């Protein structure tokens, strides 16, 4: 029989998620439960919706969080906006477009893909040509690709999609709260994310926002959504004025998300973006001082998820094990075509801190038997 209270080891979470959690978010999670139909809890939901509009950069009426991780947001976008035979155009340049494609295959959608090597991004003209040629009903792209560290510009994809009457789904799991998403300015119709990355809350909720056009399409849909749990029409009734019961919401997770979003507002998005960008620049400078290079070309890199290429002959598993066991630092490696070739280093939310950048670079100096990384990063900070 287990008799001891579980005490996890101390870890510095610098992988692709989850990221570190601010003590104020933990404090919010310790608040007493109230019921999911309590008028006070509906106030928590309203606060959360308002703050999510701020970080998404939108005025969308439908802006909520569904229970589950970012993959629940992805699946909600599939089951609510893709039906049998819907033509879906997918911009595929990493792992998560593949996951998206698999979800759509199970929906018996007609999927067409524009393929690029993992880590490359799509140019405006070629993106517009692909969408214009295929004329799909739904277009999907990943704004911030967690498997590669690449940032995909959204505007040209959205413009091309709207010209042919298509809805656009954007995966913002690794960008929301750490880089500009600008849902309204870019024209993304369905955007989803997760709580455990740049927002700095534990995993467990998936923020999602729908444009007026997407909301109109969803409410006009006549066939039943194949998922009852992720049926946004039903969830909309719970969040809306009727507060019609749908499921028991994870109350403590909403306490956490509300507080994490409040901290975003308190810091301001402008300052938050600048912090993420600065720590990214310092980290890259340190990596280059070690004689390494980044997998993604400059100008297309995420500030939030960094992918340095490993030196020839380096055992990434042994390196990551040493970082974890000797320094308490978690980073992850690549997978798919990037297995054994890169590290995936998340500098997101509360993990995007100067002290963590310098600690990781110092640890890499020790593990790789090289120097100059900390000094190079400090030079960026001193500027």
């Amino acid at each position: 029989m287990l008799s001891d209270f579980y005490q996890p080891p101390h870890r510095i979470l610098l992988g692709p998620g989850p990221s570190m959690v601010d003590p104020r978010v933990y404090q919010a999670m310790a608040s007493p439960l109230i019921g999911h139909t309590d008028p006070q809890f509906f106030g928590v939901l309203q606060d959360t919706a308002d703050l999510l509009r701020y970080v998404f950069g939108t005025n969308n009426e439908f802006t909520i969080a569904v229970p589950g991780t970012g993959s629940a947001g992805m699946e909600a976008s599939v089951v609510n906006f893709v039906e049998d035979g819907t033509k879906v155009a997918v911009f595929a340049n990493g792992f998560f477009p593949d996951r998206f494609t698999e979800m759509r295959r199970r929906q018996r959608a007609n999927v067409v893909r524009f393929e690029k090597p993992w880590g490359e991004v799509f140019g405006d003209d070629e993106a517009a040509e692909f969408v214009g040629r295929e004329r799909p009903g739904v277009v999907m792209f990943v704004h911030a690709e967690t498997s590669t560290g690449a940032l995909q510009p959204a505007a040209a994809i959205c413009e091309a999609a709207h010209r042919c009457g298509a809805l656009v789904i954007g995966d913002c799991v690794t960008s929301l709260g750490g880089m500009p998403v600008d849902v309204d300015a870019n024209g993304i119709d369905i955007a989803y994310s997760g709580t455990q990355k740049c927002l700095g809350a534990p995993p467990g909720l998936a923020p999602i926002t729908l444009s007026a056009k997407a909301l109109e399409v969803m409410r006009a849909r006549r066939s039943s959504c194949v998922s009852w749990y992720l049926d946004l029409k039903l969830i909309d009734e719970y969040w809306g004025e009727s507060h019609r019961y749908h499921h028991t919401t994870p109350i403590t997770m909403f306490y956490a998300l509300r507080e994490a979003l409040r901290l975003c507002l308190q810091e301001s998005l402008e300052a938050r973006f600048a912090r993420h960008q600065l720590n990214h620049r310092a980290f890259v400078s340190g990596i280059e001082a070690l004689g390494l290079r980044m997998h993604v070309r400059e100008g297309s890199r995420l500030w939030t998820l960094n992918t340095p290429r490993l030196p020839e002959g380096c055992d990434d598993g042994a390196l990551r094990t040493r970082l974890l066991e000797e320094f308490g630092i978690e980073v992850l490696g690549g997978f798919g075509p990037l297995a054994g070739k890169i590290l995936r280093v998340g500098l997101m939310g509360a993990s995007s801190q100067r002290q963590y950048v310098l600690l990781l670079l110092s640890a890499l100096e020790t593990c790789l038997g090289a120097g100059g990384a900390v000094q190079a990063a400090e030079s960026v900070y001193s500027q």
Side-chain angles (χ1 to χ4, degrees):
M1 179 178 179
L2 296 177
S3 58
D4 294 335
F5 179 80
Y6 178 68
Q7 185 63 44
H10 176 67
R11 296 285 191 247
I12 298 170
L13 300 176
L14 301 181
S19 56
M20 302 292 282
V21 174
D22 190 283
R24 289 168 288 186
V25 176
Y26 283 131
Q27 184 179 2
M29 294 178 71
S31 300
L33 287 180
I34 56 177
H36 60 285
T37 60
D38 189 307
Q40 287 291 317
F41 184 66
F42 288 123
V44 172
L45 295 183
Q46 184 60 59
D47 290 345
T48 301
D50 291 342
L51 290 164
L52 281 173
R53 291 185 186 97
Y54 171 66
V55 295
F56 269 122
T58 186
N59 292 313
N60 287 342
E61 171 193 346
F62 188 103
T63 302
I64 67 169
V66 298
T69 57
S71 294
M74 178 185 285
E75 187 131 36
S77 73
V78 174
V79 296
N80 286 277
F81 294 98
V82 176
E83 302 182 68
D84 287 1
T86 301
K87 189 173 188 179
V88 183
V90 177
F91 287 87
N93 59 347
F95 174 78
F96 289 96
D98 293 348
R99 174 174 289 183
F100 195 86
T101 299
E102 172 60 14
M103 290 180 182
R104 269 140 181 72
R105 185 190 66 79
R106 297 183 182 204
Q107 287 292 106
R108 297 184 293 277
N110 173 17
V111 178
V112 292
R113 288 165 54 96
F114 186 176
E115 307 272 356
K116 284 250 185 179
W118 284 28
E120 294 188 15
V121 298
F122 299 91
D124 291 355
D125 291 341
E126 61 184 357
E129 192 279 330
F130 168 62
V131 175
R133 181 181 72 248
E134 296 294 345
R135 302 194 67 80
V138 174
V139 174
M140 183 273 177
F141 76 100
V142 175
H143 183 240
E145 178 52 62
T146 318
S147 64
T148 68
L151 175 71
Q152 176 60 52
I157 292 174
C158 295
E159 289 171 9
H162 293 159
R163 279 197 296 271
C164 66
L167 293 175
V168 180
I169 299 173
D171 181 317
C172 306
V173 171
T174 306
S175 51
L176 186 68
M179 301 186 72
V181 172
D182 296 330
V183 163
D184 287 357
N186 281 313
I188 305 172
D189 293 295
I190 302 108
Y192 60 85
S193 188
T195 51
Q196 75 277 17
K197 301 203 178 195
C198 302
L199 295 182
L205 291 172
I208 186 167
T209 186
L210 309 182
S211 70
K213 177 62 176 176
L215 184 58
E216 177 186 349
V217 169
M218 182 188 77
R219 288 177 172 168
R221 176 174 172 158
R222 299 197 177 192
S223 64
S224 297
C225 178
V226 296
S227 171
W228 178 89
Y229 193 60
L230 293 175
D231 187 334
L232 295 180
K233 287 176 74 173
L234 298 179
I235 298 174
D236 183 27
E237 293 178 0
Y238 170 72
W239 280 70
E241 289 184 10
S242 69
H243 297 316
R244 183 179 178 184
Y245 169 70
H246 179 255
H247 64 271
T248 302
T249 53
I251 295 155
T252 301
M253 277 306 306
F254 275 101
Y255 293 165
L257 177 56
R258 180 188 181 279
E259 181 62 14
L261 292 168
R262 192 186 70 82
L263 295 178
C264 291
L265 179 64
Q266 186 178 73
E267 183 178 8
S268 86
L269 284 183
E270 293 77 12
R272 196 173 184 88
F273 296 157
R275 170 166 62 85
H276 281 79
Q277 186 179 35
L278 175 61
N279 290 319
H280 161 73
R281 288 178 48 236
F283 178 74
V284 171
S285 182
I287 286 297
E288 291 175 344
L290 289 172
L292 307 180
R293 64 185 179 88
M294 300 295 287
H295 177 65
V296 178
R297 65 177 174 81
E298 188 174 3
S300 297
R301 296 170 187 161
L302 297 177
W303 308 333
T304 53
L305 196 285
N306 302 268
T307 50
R309 293 191 66 88
L310 291 165
E312 193 70 29
C314 179
D315 183 333
D316 80 303
L319 173 60
R320 291 186 287 109
T321 297
R322 188 175 178 190
L323 288 172
L324 189 67
E325 293 181 351
E326 292 187 23
F327 302 95
I329 299 173
E330 179 188 88
V331 300
L332 293 188
F335 55 97
L338 298 181
K341 298 179 181 179
I342 63 169
L343 294 179
R344 290 188 295 148
V345 178
L347 299 174
M348 300 180 283
S351 293
S352 182
Q353 303 289 347
R354 175 175 177 166
Q355 60 179 324
Y356 297 143
V357 172
L358 298 179
L359 180 63
L360 176 57
L361 290 174
S362 176
L364 287 173
E365 286 182 343
T366 300
C367 293
L368 298 176
V374 172
Q375 183 178 1
E378 288 279 27
S379 177
V380 173
Y381 287 125
S382 69
Q383 297 171 13

